[in-house]
Amino acid sequence: MLKLRPYQEKAVSTLRALFASKKMRVVLYSPTGSGKTEIGMELIRLALAKKKRVVFICNRIELVRQTSSRIAASGIQHGIIQGSNTCMSWEPVQVCSIQTIDKRGYPDCDLIVVDEAHGTAGSKAYQRFMEHYAAVPMIGLTATPFARGMGKTYPWGPMWEALTAATTIRDLVNDGYLVDCDIYAPSEPDLKNVKITAGDYNEKQLGVAVDKQELVGDIVTHWLKLSGGKSTVCFATNIAHSKHIVDRFTAAGIPAEHIDCYTDDDERRRILKRVLAGDTKIISNVGILQEGWDFPACEVMILARPTRSLIKYIQMAGRVLRPFEGKEKALILDHSGTCRRLGFPTDDLPLHLDDGKPRDKKKEAEAEKEKKEKLPILCKQCSAVLAQTHTACPRCGFELPKKCDVKERAGSLSRLDKTKIGSMTKEDRKKTYSELLGYARERGYKDGWAWWKCKEIFGSVPRDRVAAVTPSKQTLNLVRHLNIKHANSKEKEMPM
């Protein structure tokens, strides 16, 4: 019998308490690699002990197979309802494809477990399914519980009405259940002409923007430089892009293969077997390995697929965060600019159920601004992606630009009153010199800039040593005035 981890045991207890309080639709957030399926199997065991019937729902063929295999390994007899792979039985547990039961009819049950529950939002098949089972307790398992509309209320009731968290990615890393990651962003495609469709980049335009020889070549160059030849999964923008990446790796003598939705089942199994054996170093795809592919030995992810979707990003990154013997850290090579837009995959996530209502644009803008202030920065020397708290790059030692604490506000510049400058006391001048030093250091100027600027203003510089301090509004206005004055004088000197 599988022994649950402490946070898994706590999650099971929390779910049972929520059902006891008459909550019927509960989402359990548990990060990729935390053992969501194991939590689901424990819930199935508890239901079977009470002679209950359980339906476990998946949204993809591969997930049906994987779930069935895990349930069988735990000693639970079950049936399968999924297309041509259906194995009808009268067992009290059925592993089902949502697409198949939507067409063939719904089995009787007392408890439902929905894998990848974020996929229920916006799906007509899931809406019909959840309306039919409106009176049946339902648990949704997901690592990304922030899909739009997950908490929406329909005439038959809420899609999901409560959310609980088993643990967090950071806690899993700290406890050794996941590994941390290093990220390098050596190149980024030009996406300024790519439109946004349904919240993400237009796939057709995106394919044109990223599938360029220089970008594909850069992927191979930096993999050779940074990966150490470790097992790698690559996410591309479309099938052609994925195949081009594989061709370049193969031309460089690196065993690489591509799979997609058109790869037949037998060939897919052979390819993944070669990946597992280490015969194939790089497996490239568009999104077929994004969910449900478990290969803990995989240490490197090439992100060649730009996305604005936090769900897709977290799922892709989750492929390389699972621990494995000898694996200290995962490596993400981001050739898409995604991590600079969405942050680290180990950051805290927005844990709330979206109700599907129109969003408050003002609040959304404020949240976006706050998010941007926390986004990572890039080391200009080695392309490592770093948190804003770093003052120097831990990879190469490069000293990073200091962040300015002065926040500028919109407003008009007032004319500088020279009589006020002339009437300043010695202490006033020392204070201004201190603030000019602070201004210089915040912008990466040398201290000599402040010395000359002070001399320009007062005709002399205080002899006493002063400490750099944050400039006041008055000093900022003074500097702006002088900058405008210099700019105007240079403009007058320019030949007509």
Side-chain angles (χ1 to χ4, degrees):
M1 183 176 174
L2 176 71
K3 180 172 175 56
L4 295 181
R5 298 168 181 171
Y7 66 84
Q8 293 172 330
E9 290 180 343
K10 184 179 177 182
V12 170
S13 298
T14 301
L15 288 169
R16 295 180 73 185
L18 285 167
F19 282 130
S21 68
K22 305 302 181 184
K23 297 290 185 184
M24 297 294 288
R25 305 278 177 87
V26 181
V27 175
L28 175 68
Y29 160 71
S30 201
T32 300
S34 61
K36 293 188 295 295
T37 307
E38 282 68 27
I39 294 174
M41 286 192 291
E42 179 63 17
L43 294 166
I44 290 172
R45 288 192 193 94
L46 292 170
L48 290 176
K50 295 183 178 181
K51 307 297 182 184
K52 303 291 186 180
R53 296 162 298 176
V54 183
V55 165
F56 197 111
I57 297 291
C58 303
N59 62 352
R60 295 174 64 173
I61 296 173
E62 198 62 40
L63 291 177
V64 170
R65 289 175 180 163
Q66 184 176 296
T67 302
S68 174
S69 177
R70 285 191 178 182
I71 290 178
S74 70
I76 298 174
Q77 298 295 319
H78 63 282
I80 298 173
I81 305 176
Q82 188 275 305
S84 59
N85 298 313
T86 296
C87 179
M88 294 300 294
S89 70
W90 296 105
E91 299 294 342
V93 177
Q94 299 290 325
V95 179
C96 309
S97 156
I98 182 64
Q99 294 85 358
T100 300
I101 64 170
D102 184 53
K103 293 176 182 176
R104 299 183 185 177
Y106 307 115
D108 292 335
C109 62
D110 305 296
L111 174 68
I112 297 168
V113 181
V114 180
D115 197 18
E116 306 295 348
H118 54 272
T120 58
S123 166
K124 296 294 184 182
Y126 269 118
Q127 287 175 27
R128 289 188 289 269
F129 167 83
M130 298 180 89
E131 181 177 9
H132 177 84
Y133 289 114
V136 177
M138 193 176 297
I139 299 163
L141 307 176
T142 181
T144 51
F146 35 82
R148 185 152 174 73
M150 281 187 73
K152 186 175 180 179
T153 299
Y154 293 85
W156 40 267
M159 179 160 275
W160 299 101
E161 57 184 321
L163 169 66
T164 184
T167 183
T168 67
I169 295 179
R170 181 47 55 192
D171 285 343
L172 290 172
V173 170
N174 292 339
D175 294 338
Y177 294 121
L178 291 180
V179 298
D180 211 335
C181 63
D182 288 332
I183 305 178
Y184 287 85
S187 63
E188 185 176 338
D190 182 0
L191 304 178
K192 63 176 179 288
N193 294 321
V194 178
K195 293 181 180 179
I196 308 300
T197 304
D200 207 350
Y201 295 109
N202 180 282
E203 290 195 5
K204 187 175 180 180
Q205 294 179 346
L206 190 61
V208 174
V210 302
D211 197 6
K212 299 183 184 297
Q213 286 192 9
E214 63 271 20
L215 290 174
V216 174
D218 200 57
I219 288 170
V220 177
T221 299
H222 282 89
W223 185 88
L224 289 167
K225 179 181 176 182
L226 297 168
S227 75
K230 294 172 182 174
S231 185
T232 301
V233 60
C234 175
F235 289 97
T237 298
N238 54 36
I239 291 173
H241 185 216
S242 178
K243 288 181 176 179
H244 290 160
I245 292 171
V246 166
D247 289 343
R248 291 296 288 270
F249 273 111
T250 304
I254 302 151
E257 296 190 71
H258 159 87
I259 64 170
D260 56 48
C261 59
Y262 302 108
T263 308
D264 68 66
D265 291 349
D266 290 338
E267 179 60 16
R268 184 184 301 181
R269 279 192 286 268
R270 286 192 291 268
I271 290 172
L272 293 179
K273 189 175 180 180
R274 289 192 287 270
V275 174
L276 289 168
D279 298 328
T280 296
K281 281 290 180 187
I282 295 168
I283 179 69
S284 185
N285 75 116
V286 176
I288 205 162
L289 300 179
Q290 186 174 300
E291 295 178 333
W293 181 60
D294 293 336
F295 181 35
C298 188
E299 293 192 49
V300 182
M301 179 180 78
I302 297 171
L303 188 51
R305 177 187 184 180
T307 182
R308 295 167 63 90
S309 168
L310 185 58
I311 290 177
K312 289 179 182 177
Y313 176 49
I314 294 298
Q315 288 174 334
M316 289 187 286
R319 299 310 107 203
V320 292
L321 297 181
R322 296 173 187 270
F324 190 74
E325 186 178 353
K327 180 178 177 181
E328 295 180 0
K329 269 190 176 183
L331 174 67
I332 295 176
L333 302 178
D334 182 12
H335 293 268
S336 67
T338 299
C339 65
R340 299 285 308 283
R341 286 187 295 272
L342 301 180
F344 291 94
T346 51
D347 287 344
D348 290 335
L349 298 176
L351 299 182
H352 68 274
L353 293 175
D354 184 276
D355 59 11
K357 294 178 181 178
R359 297 175 179 176
D360 185 322
K361 291 184 178 180
K362 185 177 179 181
K363 287 183 179 179
E364 205 168 55
E366 289 174 356
E368 189 66 24
K369 183 180 178 182
E370 185 179 341
K371 176 186 166 186
K372 283 182 179 179
E373 290 175 353
K374 298 177 182 178
L375 287 176
I377 55 177
L378 190 67
C379 174
K380 293 182 179 179
Q381 184 159 292
C382 71
S383 298
V385 177
L386 309 169
Q388 290 200 18
T389 51
H390 283 97
T391 56
C393 177
R395 316 277 191 273
C396 68
F398 180 73
E399 190 171 338
L400 301 170
K402 292 180 181 177
K403 186 179 178 182
C404 176
D405 291 328
V406 177
K407 295 186 178 180
E408 296 187 4
R409 290 181 294 180
S412 58
L413 292 177
S414 57
R415 187 174 180 274
L416 194 66
D417 190 339
K418 291 183 179 180
T419 59
K420 289 185 178 179
I421 291 177
S423 63
M424 278 185 168
T425 66
K426 183 180 177 181
E427 289 303 315
D428 289 334
R429 296 186 183 203
K430 282 173 63 176
K431 179 176 179 291
T432 302
Y433 183 33
S434 294
E435 293 177 4
L436 289 170
L437 277 171
Y439 182 95
R441 292 180 186 180
E442 286 169 355
R443 284 156 177 76
Y445 303 161
K446 293 181 179 179
D447 288 354
W449 177 93
W451 192 94
W452 284 106
K453 194 63 65 175
C454 186
K455 187 173 178 63
E456 179 185 355
I457 296 168
F458 301 117
S460 63
V461 180
R463 293 183 180 181
D464 299 339
R465 291 190 65 178
V466 297
V469 299
T470 301
S472 63
K473 183 178 179 181
Q474 182 181 1
T475 299
L476 287 173
N477 283 337
L478 182 59
V479 173
R480 289 189 187 114
H481 170 82
L482 293 172
N483 288 342
I484 292 170
K485 178 181 175 183
H486 286 307
N488 290 339
S489 64
K490 285 184 179 180
E491 189 176 333
K492 289 179 181 179
E493 292 171 4
M494 290 178 65
M496 299 297 287

